[in-house]
Amino acid sequence: MTERFSPRDLMARLVSFPTVSRDSNLPLIDWVEAYLASHGIEAHRWPDPDQPHKAALFAHVGPWEEGAIVLSGHTDVVPVDGQPWDSDPFEVVERDGKLYGRGTCDMKGFDALAIWALVEAHHAGVKRPLQLALSFDEEVGCTGAPPMIEAMQPVLPKGSAVIVGEPSMMKAVTGHKGGFGYDTHVVGFEVHSSIMHTGVNAIMSAAPLIHWANKRNAENMAAEPSDLAAMFDPPFTTCHVGQITGGTAHNITAKDCWFAMDFRVVPGEDPDQWRDAYFAEVREVEARMQAAHPEARIELDQRFRVPALQPEEEGEAEALVRAITGDNGSNVVSYGTEAGQFQEAGYSAVVCGPGDIAQAHQPNEYITVAQFEAGHAFMRRLVERLSA
């Protein structure tokens, strides 16, 4: 008889694959596909044509009809480089009621539970279908989910409610901020710093754009938030630069400066207005640069775009999660997920998964045994409901 792994066994297997976003996830996808096949479940993969070392995976069990519940998670994890781990990051280690390992919280713990639920639902002969969707490149801007969602449409009957298992302490999260970011390359003109007025310093030209972001943040912080925005922490749209690099030497005007300008937009605000405002500021700075030297310029490249998750009126996904968990609180988060992307594609969506987001990306990342067991109990109840 084909072995049916427990959720703990499945999580240990998934964590053992070092699927850092910069690397391949194919060994993990191969293993999951083979494991599902051993139980008679056909899985479908979508290989990324631009990154042949990465693929998404999705599968369907139960009646071949629309209206499935979709369990969605990502397979990639953030790097462990430079982090002081007390154990092997790619091995699940239990200590003091906690399960340590990269991805145990974000979010291979949920992935393991979802795979377990799919196999159990298959063997239970559920009356309502269940689907699994495993994406990639979530940690670099949720870029792997949209093509996966599009690829699912002609292959599987369309699901109706999506549960995205990002760590939410098993609470029903019905809204999150949207996000987008632009890689910004400021190209100046090098001269000796003693005659800096004849050149264009890319770093000093970038500074007004970063100052613009600081001003917008201060204005947003001081403004009265809308009722929906007030639910978030912080209750406003944020502009952020987390990395910057450039320059050649201290006595040369910088030829190049690179930074990423990222926005996290509260639901109800138009991301395009924020994009247009940033573009307008870029063009003003660029005009001043080109007045000094015509070769100077600013290049923008969109790195990612994640739509907000909008709270739904009588949303099916929310109602399902609340019925199983008993959670009736109002919960929103400031991080982005593929839930907004599923919602944009016509699915009802909610975020609900085991673990605390505060542990995500940390050295010695962990999920508590209690939270993992709560996730297991949720999946058992879900399979029971689909079987009824």
Side-chain angles (χ1 to χ4, degrees), residues 74-281:
H74 61 82
T75 60
D76 59 317
V77 296
V78 297
V80 299
D81 308 44
Q83 291 187 334
W85 283 74
D86 296 330
S87 57
D88 183 347
F90 300 108
E91 178 183 353
V92 177
V93 176
E94 181 176 353
R95 295 193 305 271
D96 302 321
K98 300 173 182 176
L99 301 168
Y100 292 87
R102 174 57 86 220
T104 51
C105 178
D106 183 20
M107 62 181 300
K108 290 180 176 178
F110 175 84
D111 292 346
L113 292 166
I115 294 167
W116 178 87
L118 193 77
V119 171
E120 293 301 308
H122 174 67
H123 289 296
V126 289
K127 297 177 181 178
R128 182 178 179 181
L130 182 68
Q131 294 179 357
L132 172 73
L134 298 177
S135 64
F136 60 91
D137 281 358
E138 190 275 346
E139 298 292 5
V140 293
C142 287
T143 58
M148 176 192 71
I149 296 168
E150 182 179 1
M152 291 170 65
Q153 309 303 310
V155 177
L156 304 182
K158 186 168 182 177
S160 60
V162 179
I163 302 171
V164 176
E166 290 284 357
S168 71
M169 298 296 287
M170 296 309 300
K171 302 294 185 183
V173 171
T174 59
H176 66 59
K177 291 184 178 182
F180 65 94
Y182 279 89
D183 286 330
T184 304
H185 180 195
V186 183
V187 182
F189 185 77
E190 286 182 313
V191 296
H192 194 280
S193 60
S194 65
I195 51 171
M196 59 177 289
H197 64 291
T198 65
V200 178
N201 188 315
I203 293 176
M204 296 182 74
S205 297
L209 296 176
I210 298 173
H211 178 60
W212 174 87
N214 283 328
K215 287 173 59 181
R216 297 291 82 75
N217 286 334
E219 291 170 359
N220 290 349
M221 187 180 301
E224 185 72 21
S226 67
D227 291 343
L228 181 55
M231 298 173 63
F232 289 85
D233 183 18
F236 53 85
T237 293
T238 57
C239 316
H240 179 254
V241 175
Q243 286 185 308
I244 185 169
T245 186
T248 303
H250 71 89
N251 59 351
I252 303 174
T253 57
K255 172 68 163 56
D256 297 283
C257 180
W258 296 269
F259 65 90
M261 181 69 75
D262 293 348
F263 299 81
R264 293 186 181 270
V265 184
V266 295
E269 292 188 9
D270 185 356
D272 289 346
Q273 289 186 351
W274 281 101
R275 177 203 61 197
D276 293 346
Y278 181 54
F279 279 24
E281 192 69 18

